[in-house]
Amino acid sequence: MLTPTVKAAWDRIAELAARPDARLINPLFHADPQRVEKMCVALDDLKLDLSKTSISPEVRAALFDLARVTGLDDFRKRLFAGGAVNNTENRAAMHMAHRAAPGEVLMAGDEDATAFAWERRERMRRFVRDIHGGTLRGSTGLPFTTVLSIGIGGSDLGPSMVTEALTMAEGERMQARFLSNVDGTAFVRETRGLDPARTLVLVASKSFTTQETAANAHVARKWIVDALGEEAVGAHFAALSTNLNATGEFGILQERVFGFRPWVGGRFSLWSPVGLVIALAAGWEQFDRLLAGAHAMDRHFAEADLERNLPVLLALAGVWHVNGLGCTAQCILPYDDRLRRFPAFLQQLEMESNGKGVTREGYPVGHATCPVIFGEPGTNAQHSFMQMIHQGPAVIPVDFILAHFAMSHRADAHRMLSANAIAQAEALLCGKTAIQAEMEMLQSGMDPAQAAFLAPHRAFPGDRPSIFITMEHLDAFGIGRLIALYEHKVAVQGHLWGINSFDQWGVEFGKVLADGILAELSGARIYDHDPSTSALIAHLHDV
Ligand code: F6P
């Protein structure tokens, strides 16, 4: 139930959004020559440019009013104080402890989360040192050259995305392979060419009960045992989990289990022991810089005024687009191949966190929540779905992500990427009228009838919103800071929408049904389902 002040704040946003000019962006630049400076906010070299949105000074005031009356400031304090912001599981969301600075104290409930996290970090550092240094070797005495990481969802998307991003630029200390899907062909693909004697297998699962991960871990175990014998399991396996009983039952030695706490959510866990694969593949220094970057964003989010706070601004812009303008999708375009899995990572981060239909108290939310998140690295997207974003009837806001300096030696290629990113945002903003399009075609010598026919097809509506996120280097520090920016954006939006961003009950139902159907597919008896499901089971059933 909304309090009268919160309802009034939402009503004000709706009222501004109902104005005929609510979607227009270009007139805002004419009205205020200082708009660009006013709508850009920076944390050191990380800059958020919100000028190409239809957020007018009045809209901005209304959004900050919503932040104020919903108690965003208190929420931020409660989050960092380790309060049970995850109210359906009665837990803190204290992933920030794993990237805290020395001496900093963050609590999760009654536990000193930073003391725990530092102890874990030191164990991880020593393990990485011993693997890289060859003190810890495979069962035949050969050093490990490959790490095979098995996990799914938050136990895969973050670690694999970051590992790829860091090793692409800096080279790899160890080869990393990632197995997430429970599909025999995925196992074949990910182990192709690997020597079991030189492979360290990490089983990453917060719960250690996830069906796909358990199945893949057992296949990997067999792969190791077949090649090296049962006694090799101890040397070749390590686990990253909160479920120490289950890791023991699987046969993973206690000293090879890197436990963490339930106050780290799966999709927020890459900073915790779940990120061990990142450190093994990219090196400890890179992992450390990644954590430092995320920590810089934590401090900024915790301390900066709401008006200059990057995660808050990014979240409020999203609220304007979703709740004001009715946008149902959000596009993410990293103009950097190292972040090619970043949109997939954000899909889980945003949609699993904020794809909720009831409030924290269990009432239906009275408004839209998380939009569909999708994206691709630029410029690939330009040659596929950008057509729709430029000319389709639905307005889809875009986040452009771009570093100033290339991490590769190809400065020319990076300039091309930058030019394309800037051009896309300009095209979305400025558009092109049918008359302009027709004039251009006439000037190029086209037949007038043909030019008139083509003009509406070659016109662009313009006034399409985008946000530009730039930084100097997209190095480990920059990537850590970027991920934490979106993590906190998600938390802010969840707060504004009145939902719990830190649980994920929506994924449970299908998991339970799948367990039953699995038994039915391999057994004779088919239980009571709807007719369509029963027919499918009968069709796909082993006879
Ligand atoms: O099914 C969704 C989910 O629970 C995610 O929240 C989580 O990241 C993923 O499964 C993997 O879970 P676990 O790390 O416990 O194996």
Side-chain angles (χ1 to χ4, degrees), residues 79 85-86 89 93 95 267-268 356 491 500-504:
L79 179 74
V85 288
N86 179 351
E89 295 177 302
H95 41 282
R267 53 196 173 275
F268 301 91
K356 312 275 167 72
N500 177 3
S501 302
F502 302 105
D503 61 11
Q504 57 284 319

Side-chain angles (χ1 to χ4, degrees), residues 225-282:
V225 170
D226 286 351
L228 306 168
E230 186 70 37
E231 59 289 353
V233 172
H236 285 261
F237 275 82
L240 324 160
S241 184
T242 55
N243 186 348
L244 306 188
N245 291 337
T247 56
E249 277 163 29
F250 184 85
I252 297 179
L253 301 176
Q254 222 182 334
E255 66 266 26
R256 290 293 183 92
V257 178
F258 296 84
F260 58 102
R261 294 287 202 247
W263 38 256
V264 174
R267 53 196 173 275
F268 301 91
S269 66
L270 71 94
W271 326 98
S272 76
V274 170
L276 187 60
V277 60
I278 303 171
L280 286 166

Side-chain angles (χ1 to χ4, degrees), residues 38-42 48 50 53 55 60 63-64 72 300-301 305-321 467 485 489 492-493:
K38 288 182 187 162
M39 295 297 282
C40 284
V41 182
L48 193 64
L50 298 157
T53 65
I55 298 176
R60 191 183 166 112
L63 291 169
F64 277 108
L72 177 58
H300 168 78
F301 175 52
D305 288 347
L306 296 185
E307 284 74 13
R308 311 289 305 165
N309 198 304
L310 271 64
V312 173
L313 285 159
L314 195 57
L316 289 175
V319 164
W320 173 242
H321 291 141
I467 292 173
L485 166 66
K489 168 208 163 179
V492 172
Q493 287 191 330

Side-chain angles (χ1 to χ4, degrees), residues 152-155 205-208 210 266-267 348 352 504 507 511:
I152 199 163
S155 298
S205 177
K206 177 175 171 178
S207 60
F208 226 77
T210 302
R267 53 196 173 275
Q348 187 200 17
E352 192 167 81
Q504 57 284 319
V507 299
K511 286 188 198 175

Side-chain angles (χ1 to χ4, degrees), residues 147-157 159-160 176-182 186-187 190-191 194 199-206 208 210-224 236-241 250 252 274 277:
V147 50
L148 173 65
S149 179
I150 300 176
I152 199 163
S155 298
D156 168 65
L157 287 162
S160 60
R177 297 274 178 92
F178 292 88
L179 180 61
S180 55
N181 200 355
V182 63
F187 184 82
E190 296 309 329
T191 52
L194 297 190
T199 303
L200 175 71
V201 183
L202 299 182
V203 185
S205 177
K206 177 175 171 178
F208 226 77
T210 302
Q211 190 190 55
E212 297 89 333
T213 300
N216 280 331
H218 279 102
V219 178
R221 191 179 195 284
K222 185 169 179 327
W223 180 70
I224 291 287
H236 285 261
F237 275 82
L240 324 160
S241 184
F250 184 85
I252 297 179
V274 170
V277 60

